[in-house]
Amino acid sequence: MNRLEFRLDTKSVLPLLEHVKPLMEQLAIDLATPNVSPDNDELMSDFWSKDLLTSQRKDIAAIAELFDDEFLDTGSATVDEEDADLVLRGCAAVRLKIRERSLEAFSDEALESGELDIEDFNRDQRIGYAAYALFASMQELIISQLEL
């Protein structure tokens, strides 16, 4: 995979991006999930958390770069091979936050299988689920193109 290009309908994706924007801002401040350092050393734990947060910020920045002004104009987003890991991790972090904020009423199994009755969702859940599916699809496309 040298470069992967996504073509998306900006009118459809824009509400999803607006939904995840505050989540991405939160991910610049807090880790997507609580972490446990490799040992009980407080200094090591602090270093560990800061290092994880620094990495997560890079991952989220890679996602934000995909959906920049150029994307909004063209509907095209590209992932270069050297950024694939960043985007994959960024998608995972965003999906975890969506899961926590909009989709907490649903089991992981139901979300991953897609066996949900979307008609019963409220507006926040619908947008959250669509964003969750968008980022999952991006992960699947990138993984399918990786040269193993």
Side-chain angles (χ1 to χ4, degrees):
M1 175 182 100
N2 290 330
R3 176 177 252 188
L4 179 62
E5 182 174 352
F6 300 95
R7 291 221 175 253
L8 302 166
D9 177 41
T10 56
K11 289 180 184 177
S12 299
V13 174
L14 191 57
L16 308 181
L17 297 176
E18 289 173 357
H19 182 80
V20 300
K21 184 178 180 182
L23 303 178
M24 291 173 62
E25 290 169 354
Q26 186 64 41
L27 288 166
I29 300 167
D30 297 318
L31 290 171
T33 61
N35 79 79
V36 178
S37 66
D39 56 32
N40 292 329
D41 183 336
E42 188 175 321
L43 182 61
M44 181 61 174
S45 179
D46 186 50
F47 174 76
W48 178 265
S49 293
K50 286 180 181 175
D51 190 51
L52 288 174
L53 187 56
T54 298
S55 289
Q56 182 174 282
R57 286 179 180 141
K58 291 176 186 174
D59 302 340
I60 297 305
I63 296 290
E65 191 173 303
L66 281 178
F67 299 112
D68 61 7
D69 289 338
E70 182 179 335
F71 168 78
L72 295 175
D73 290 339
T74 65
S76 177
T78 58
V79 177
D80 291 324
E81 186 170 8
E82 61 268 6
D83 296 331
D85 287 343
L86 298 172
V87 174
L88 287 171
R89 288 190 308 264
C91 286
V94 169
R95 290 179 69 211
L96 285 168
K97 279 298 175 191
I98 294 169
R99 171 85 178 88
E100 178 184 298
R101 298 282 171 86
S102 300
L103 304 173
E104 70 279 354
F106 308 103
S107 70
D108 289 334
E109 294 78 23
L111 288 171
E112 292 302 318
S113 70
E115 295 178 12
L116 298 166
D117 190 0
I118 297 173
E119 298 298 320
D120 295 334
F121 287 17
N122 64 36
R123 185 178 191 291
D124 185 61
Q125 290 169 331
R126 284 182 189 204
I127 292 173
Y129 185 67
Y132 188 85
L134 170 67
F135 286 96
S137 296
M138 288 175 49
Q139 287 176 302
E140 289 175 8
L141 286 170
I142 292 169
I143 290 168
S144 73
Q145 296 300 311
L146 290 175
E147 296 174 9
L148 302 175

